[in-house]
Amino acid sequence: MTVLEAIEKSTAFLEKKGIESARINAELLLADILECKRLDLYLQFEKPLANKEIDKYRDYISRRGDFEPLQYVIGNVEFYGYKFKVSPDVLIPRQETETLIETVIDLINNDQHLSILDIGTGSGNIPICIAKGFKNSSVISIDISENAIKIANQNVIDHELSERVKIFKRDIFVDTKEGAAKFDVIISNPPYVSITEYKTLQKEIINFEPKNAVTDNNDGYLFYNRICQIAPKLLNKDGYLFFETGEGQSEGVKKILEQNGFRNISSRKDYLDIERVIFGQL
Ligand code: GLN
């Protein structure tokens, strides 16, 4: 079987299964196996595939046909120009979260030493991008999931940031010791999908991504309320709190920030013109 034949056959299979953008999925999965860029496949359409490559491709296509997200099948994702390992233990970093990183990097003077806290780290995409942007910073990340922390630590090692990024297991609803370290900046992309909306999401998300990374099993505001409640104890004076929010949540989250004593509250839109990042200063 040649590269082109494999792509065409797999595209037809994925289309039948109801996978969107079947051809691109088929190409990306094969490119991963052949360790080349998707467009480089076009230069080798006539190349025959080795049996090993065909077996692996069959497995990848069958998993994708069962709605497993492409990023879990190939085991990584590109985010903010960097590569991150992912598995079903962590949320797949989304493009809109790049707006959160951009906003923090834009707004904060990055020469001074900064102490940063990231709540709900997942794959570790946020602390890694922030540590790369702020060379004098140190980032503490927390997550409730031990398995997520394993992936995040792997990514920290891959990006050679073990000195400046540390990850701990914490549950923000129980572990809030008085006298905990103080931070200049807190960042969080919390699970903000309400339980009602969660039920309407794509199969890829419901069947594969960690539920507690997507929904708060509540009205979507549980984490914003809790983080705003504990942040004043964790932030230095004039410290900043940055949130990613879901579509339609910005006004609600601004109010929660206000009620907890934050000022200079403002927001940023993402690439789809949706209010995506809300931030305030203590
Ligand atoms: N911080 C990670 C991200 O932004 C994970 C977020 C989450 O699991 N809710 O992608």
Side-chain angles (χ1 to χ4, degrees):
M1 187 159 32
T2 65
V3 165
L4 182 61
E5 284 163 356
I7 291 172
E8 285 179 341
K9 210 171 148 200
S10 304
T11 302
F13 174 81
L14 293 178
E15 261 168 7
K16 223 173 81 197
K17 289 276 192 167
I19 301 294
E20 273 175 42
S21 314
R23 169 92 185 202
I24 291 181
N25 273 272
E27 290 178 357
L28 286 169
L29 289 168
L30 188 56
D32 184 75
I33 290 169
L34 299 181
E35 294 175 11
C36 68
K37 292 215 157 56
R38 179 173 73 90
L39 291 180
D40 291 341
L41 294 172
Y42 286 71
L43 306 173
Q44 41 181 327
F45 271 164
E46 300 312 320
K47 192 181 146 190
L49 294 173
N51 284 340
K52 250 202 199 147
E53 292 164 343
I54 295 175
D55 287 348
K56 194 166 177 192
Y57 195 40
R58 203 172 275 133
D59 170 58
Y60 276 20
I61 291 292
S62 130
R63 286 166 64 187
R64 187 67 193 98
D66 287 335
F67 289 87
E68 181 168 346
L70 178 117
Q71 296 88 341
Y72 290 152
V73 177
I74 64 176
N76 65 70
V77 64
E78 201 182 294
F79 175 82
Y80 203 69
Y82 304 117
K83 215 174 189 181
F84 293 93
K85 287 203 174 89
V86 290
S87 80
D89 286 320
V90 298
L91 187 86
I92 298 165
R94 305 295 205 270
Q95 199 181 341
E96 51 269 30
T97 304
E98 295 180 347
T99 309
L100 177 61
I101 309 285
E102 279 159 15
T103 309
V104 177
I105 289 182
D106 248 30
L107 240 94
I108 306 278
N109 167 4
N110 61 9
D111 290 334
Q112 68 208 67
H113 171 82
L114 290 171
S115 163
I116 298 166
L117 173 67
D118 161 49
I119 300 177
T121 202
S123 60
N125 56 328
I126 292 178
I128 288 167
C129 293
I130 293 294
K132 289 201 187 240
F134 297 153
K135 304 282 180 219
N136 294 319
S137 64
S138 54
V139 189
I140 289 190
S141 276
I142 58 173
D143 203 287
I144 195 171
S145 156
E146 236 157 84
N147 289 338
I149 291 174
K150 280 186 199 149
I151 301 278
N153 271 326
Q154 276 251 292
N155 282 318
V156 169
I157 293 167
D158 291 351
H159 288 278
E160 298 182 352
L161 285 167
S162 306
E163 294 285 307
R164 294 194 290 123
V165 178
K166 309 275 181 214
I167 306 174
F168 301 99
K169 180 174 155 65
R170 291 282 187 282
D171 177 345
I172 58 160
F173 291 89
V174 285
D175 310 319
T176 47
K177 280 185 243 128
E178 289 294 328
K182 291 267 187 180
F183 299 93
D184 304 305
V185 180
I186 298 178
I187 308 172
S188 185
N189 174 23
Y192 53 67
V193 176
S194 72
I195 190 62
T196 329
E197 196 190 337
Y198 179 76
K199 294 177 183 142
T200 70
L201 299 180
Q202 299 150 271
K203 270 193 220 166
E204 272 96 339
I205 301 177
I206 297 183
N207 293 348
F208 291 93
E209 297 204 64
K211 185 175 180 189
N212 66 352
V214 179
T215 176
D216 61 358
N217 248 311
N218 207 287
D219 63 354
Y221 292 88
L222 194 68
F223 282 80
Y224 298 121
N225 277 306
R226 179 62 180 166
I227 292 169
C228 285
Q229 187 190 10
I230 61 176
K233 284 184 247 165
L234 296 168
L235 278 172
N236 289 322
K237 186 177 172 307
D238 300 328
Y240 283 92
L241 173 56
F242 291 86
F243 281 129
E244 175 171 324
T245 58
E247 193 170 0
Q249 287 182 315
S250 65
E251 286 313 308
V253 174
K254 281 182 185 168
K255 268 205 198 98
I256 300 173
L257 278 162
E258 251 169 50
Q259 286 161 357
N260 286 280
F262 284 86
R263 60 197 166 87
N264 298 334
I265 298 166
S266 187
S267 60
R268 285 276 174 99
K269 290 183 172 171
D270 68 12
Y271 65 108
L272 292 174
D273 220 30
I274 294 168
E275 297 257 327
R276 187 58 72 187
V277 177
I278 311 292
F279 51 94
Q281 206 176 3
L282 197 62

